[in-house]
Amino acid sequence: MPRGRPRKNPDAAPAPKKTTRTKAKATAANLGFEQQMFLAADKLRKNLEPSDYKHVTLGLIFLRYISTAFEAYHEILLHDDPAAAEDPDEYLAENIFWVPETARWSHLQANARSSGIGKMIDDAMLAIEQANPEQLKGVLPKDYGRPALDSVMLGELIDLISEIGMGGSEDQARDVLGRVYEYFLGGFAGAEGKRGGEFYTPSSVVRTLVSMLEPYKGRVYDPCCGSGGMFVQSERFVESHGGKLGDIAIYGQESNHTTWRLAKMNLAVRGIGADIRWNNEGSFLRDELKDLRFDTILANPPFNISDWWNASLEEDPRWQYGKPPAGNANYAWLQHILWHLAPNGTAGVVLANGSMSSNQNSEGEIRRRMVEADTVDCMVALPGQLFYSTQIPACLWFLTRTKNPKGWRDRRGETLFIDARKLGTMVDRTRRELTDADVARIADTYHSWRGEKDAAPYEDVPGFCKSVTLDEVEQHGFVLTPGRYVGAEEAEEDSVPFAERFAALEKTLQDQFRQGEELNAKITASLKLIVPQEAS
């Protein structure tokens, strides 16, 4: 089945690739290569806005990716069966896009310095869409020929992208291209600031969600999927734990058409089949997958959106725990996600911190009903400065349909609280990231608490995590802020006797007094040397 083609059987996972992909080994490409490429590409941007240049660059990386896959298999067919080399079905059978001759990267690279390169790229994109309509219709950017794009800049960008993955096998080149595409998404999100957060969730946050929920198999869903980062990390998790591409069936919805196109390209670059729907009404007004239920749901909805309500939603069956307020969609997202969970499903949702404690309108009452229904499995308070789009503190909600699944302990009537606000490392002046060790600590704590096989026994850690009964949550007015429950971190025992510590402090204080007296004496002596001058 070609990449991205919607499946007729909703229970079937996307077909895995038939060709074996060799993972790129540690090479120079693994150490800062993506960053070097991004900086080099950014120098070519000149006066173009990042939001515009993003599509120019990502579209070319995508074209290079599918062309690399096509041309590698084309060479094999030419050697084995020249007639088959020009049969599109031969490529579709191997999950490879058919690329017409004039759209192949080698053709564009040969004409990179032509003054008409912009139109050539547009024609290439159109030809690829026409050759692969089920997967790519309306997805690829086709405005490279506009006057605002300098043909010299486009040629230099083609030359730069041609360097990606050079020196390795075709499989290694495609892996590197996929990594570069993902890095560029994050780079452009940072360059765009607030607007960048609309299509990109920071990688460390996604890894935390995926590591905690462990989507080994089944249906995975994101109702506001952005550029598809949740899906890429989910597939990566499956493969890193011995599974294969296609063990999970991916579904998503996105209301921004430009962002939807990014998601389609992002997944295609990674060779991931998915059913990603677009409509400009969004998941509330037009739930494209309303009859489906999912084993894992991962979502980073826009925080605190106030313009979501429509009168048609008044009696919506998704509002099982109460009608959400028209002025804030946070509890609409939570209930939409709960509605789509399978009987044994779990969900991880990124929301603003206010969602844990707000009592405005009906939010406190909805939260109470969700807690009493035992749907809130775990709450994680995140450190600040993780997001490109906002400085609003955020948290993770983990929801479930059952707390007594087969193979795990019965945790009904309990909720786990994790306060991770002290974790993370500043990667630049304004932004923080969770390290691999941070992600592992959070995820391992959750797995231990759930009683998973091979997980270490769970223990409360003062200042970090605590397992709390529903009665205790009720005593706190159903506020779900982890800091209320985990307590203070235990102070390390000081092995130095008090008398010894006091003597050292007294000596330091006496030294500071003496230094102060010496400084005062010097200032007084200097003042006496100053002779007031008479005014002339």
Side-chain angles (χ1 to χ4, degrees):
M1 183 181 70
R3 297 185 186 96
R5 180 181 295 177
R7 298 177 302 284
K8 294 180 180 179
N9 177 4
D11 292 311
K17 296 181 70 174
K18 295 182 180 179
T19 54
T20 301
R21 298 179 66 204
T22 304
K23 291 294 180 184
K25 296 181 180 180
T27 65
N30 291 325
L31 186 59
F33 176 77
E34 298 94 330
Q35 183 183 28
Q36 293 171 17
M37 290 297 300
F38 183 80
L39 292 175
D42 196 51
K43 287 182 180 179
L44 302 176
R45 178 167 63 88
K46 298 179 181 176
N47 295 325
L48 280 178
E49 290 295 321
S51 57
D52 187 15
Y53 189 60
K54 168 181 66 188
H55 300 288
V56 173
T57 308
L58 294 176
L60 287 175
I61 295 174
F62 174 81
L63 197 154
R64 165 79 201 284
Y65 174 88
I66 64 171
S67 188
T68 298
F70 172 87
E71 293 189 22
Y73 196 57
H74 186 257
E75 287 296 320
I76 294 173
L77 291 178
L78 279 177
H79 181 270
D80 296 341
D81 185 357
E86 301 306 320
D87 182 359
D89 289 339
E90 292 288 337
Y91 299 87
L92 296 180
E94 292 295 324
N95 203 21
I96 296 172
F97 290 108
W98 168 259
V99 182
E101 187 172 355
T102 57
R104 296 169 193 171
W105 190 259
S106 56
H107 175 73
L108 296 176
Q109 188 176 4
N111 291 277
R113 298 302 176 178
S114 168
S115 60
I117 187 61
K119 186 177 185 305
M120 289 184 187
I121 297 171
D122 287 340
D123 291 343
M125 296 292 189
L126 181 61
I128 291 170
E129 282 194 355
Q130 291 174 342
N132 306 275
E134 288 189 49
Q135 311 97 294
L136 296 178
K137 183 179 180 181
V139 170
L140 305 184
K142 294 178 287 292
D143 54 0
Y144 289 86
R146 66 188 190 273
L149 285 185
D150 177 21
S151 62
V152 175
M153 180 271 288
L154 287 176
E156 291 175 342
L157 193 56
I158 288 173
D159 288 343
L160 181 66
I161 293 172
S162 297
E163 297 175 9
I164 300 175
M166 294 297 289
S169 68
E170 287 82 2
D171 283 338
Q172 288 175 333
R174 291 196 293 275
D175 270 342
V176 174
L177 280 162
R179 292 208 323 270
V180 168
Y181 189 97
E182 186 176 1
Y183 186 90
F184 273 43
L185 278 172
F188 284 121
E192 290 185 56
K194 183 175 182 179
R195 293 175 60 189
E198 296 174 2
F199 68 87
Y200 185 80
T201 303
S203 177
S204 68
V205 176
V206 179
R207 284 189 287 112
T208 302
L209 289 168
V210 171
S211 297
M212 291 180 74
L213 293 181
E214 299 181 310
Y216 288 108
K217 59 183 178 179
R219 295 174 173 175
V220 177
Y221 170 61
D222 185 343
C224 42
C225 67
S227 56
M230 300 284 190
F231 303 138
V232 171
Q233 289 288 350
S234 295
E235 286 280 10
R236 185 172 293 160
F237 173 85
V238 171
E239 290 186 297
S240 68
H241 287 77
K244 60 182 182 297
L245 210 64
D247 280 355
I248 57 177
I250 287 174
Y251 299 83
Q253 184 167 340
E254 174 57 44
S255 61
N256 184 302
H257 188 262
T258 301
T259 302
W260 171 80
R261 288 163 55 191
L262 287 177
K264 294 281 283 185
M265 288 193 291
N266 191 19
L267 296 176
V269 163
R270 307 301 306 193
I272 297 173
D275 183 354
I276 308 296
R277 309 287 181 89
W278 166 79
N279 69 64
N280 58 11
E281 295 171 279
S283 294
F284 293 137
L285 290 178
R286 188 175 164 190
D287 187 359
E288 293 276 357
L289 304 164
K290 62 181 179 180
D291 296 325
L292 295 184
R293 300 296 180 266
F294 303 95
D295 302 291
T296 305
I297 299 178
L298 301 157
N300 177 21
F303 292 175
N304 304 322
I305 57 173
S306 58
D307 57 350
W308 72 281
W309 180 255
N310 185 284
S312 64
L313 298 172
E314 187 73 30
E315 302 297 330
D316 197 291
R318 287 173 290 184
W319 317 145
Q320 294 177 289
Y321 304 98
K323 186 179 74 174
N328 193 313
N330 287 343
Y331 280 86
W333 285 115
L334 290 172
Q335 293 189 85
H336 171 85
I337 287 165
L338 277 168
W339 173 262
H340 276 288
L341 272 182
N344 290 312
T346 53
V349 189
V350 187
L351 283 178
N353 271 3
S355 63
M356 299 187 289
S357 58
S358 173
N359 287 310
Q360 294 182 357
N361 301 310
S362 57
E363 290 181 330
E365 182 64 17
I366 296 172
R367 186 171 58 252
R368 177 185 68 79
R369 292 173 181 172
M370 289 174 58
V371 171
E372 290 179 340
D374 225 4
T375 64
V376 181
D377 202 35
C378 175
M379 298 296 302
V380 180
L382 294 173
Q385 298 179 274
L386 289 175
F387 294 85
Y388 294 104
S389 57
T390 180
Q391 294 301 311
I392 297 175
C395 61
L396 304 180
W397 289 67
F398 289 88
L399 308 175
T400 184
R401 280 294 183 191
T402 176
K403 292 185 179 179
N404 187 28
K406 184 178 180 181
W408 296 347
R409 76 176 184 88
D410 184 351
R411 58 191 191 281
R412 285 176 290 185
E414 299 176 35
T415 298
L416 176 65
F417 290 90
I418 298 176
D419 190 346
R421 290 176 296 173
K422 294 181 180 180
L423 302 184
T425 300
M426 297 299 292
V427 294
D428 57 40
R429 185 175 56 84
T430 61
R431 200 170 61 82
R432 182 184 301 271
E433 284 185 359
L434 295 170
T435 65
D436 289 344
D438 294 332
V439 172
R441 184 183 183 192
I442 296 169
D444 290 348
T445 299
Y446 184 49
H447 300 158
S448 294
W449 178 77
R450 292 199 298 191
E452 296 180 31
K453 184 181 179 181
D454 299 328
Y458 172 79
E459 291 183 1
D460 289 340
V461 178
F464 180 69
C465 65
K466 185 177 181 181
S467 182
V468 176
T469 65
L470 298 189
D471 288 341
E472 188 173 347
V473 175
E474 182 178 8
Q475 292 171 14
H476 284 272
F478 297 97
V479 170
L480 300 179
T481 306
R484 288 207 175 197
Y485 301 95
V486 301
E489 186 176 358
E490 289 184 348
E492 294 185 9
E493 184 177 349
D494 194 338
S495 59
V496 181
F498 173 76
E500 187 176 334
R501 283 190 288 118
F502 183 81
L505 289 171
E506 185 180 27
K507 182 180 183 303
T508 300
L509 184 61
Q510 293 298 333
D511 289 342
Q512 290 173 343
F513 281 153
R514 187 180 65 256
Q515 291 170 6
E517 291 172 356
E518 291 174 353
L519 182 60
N520 285 334
K522 289 180 181 180
I523 293 173
T524 300
S526 298
L527 288 173
K528 290 180 179 179
L529 295 175
I530 299 175
V531 179
Q533 294 185 4
E534 296 181 1
S536 57

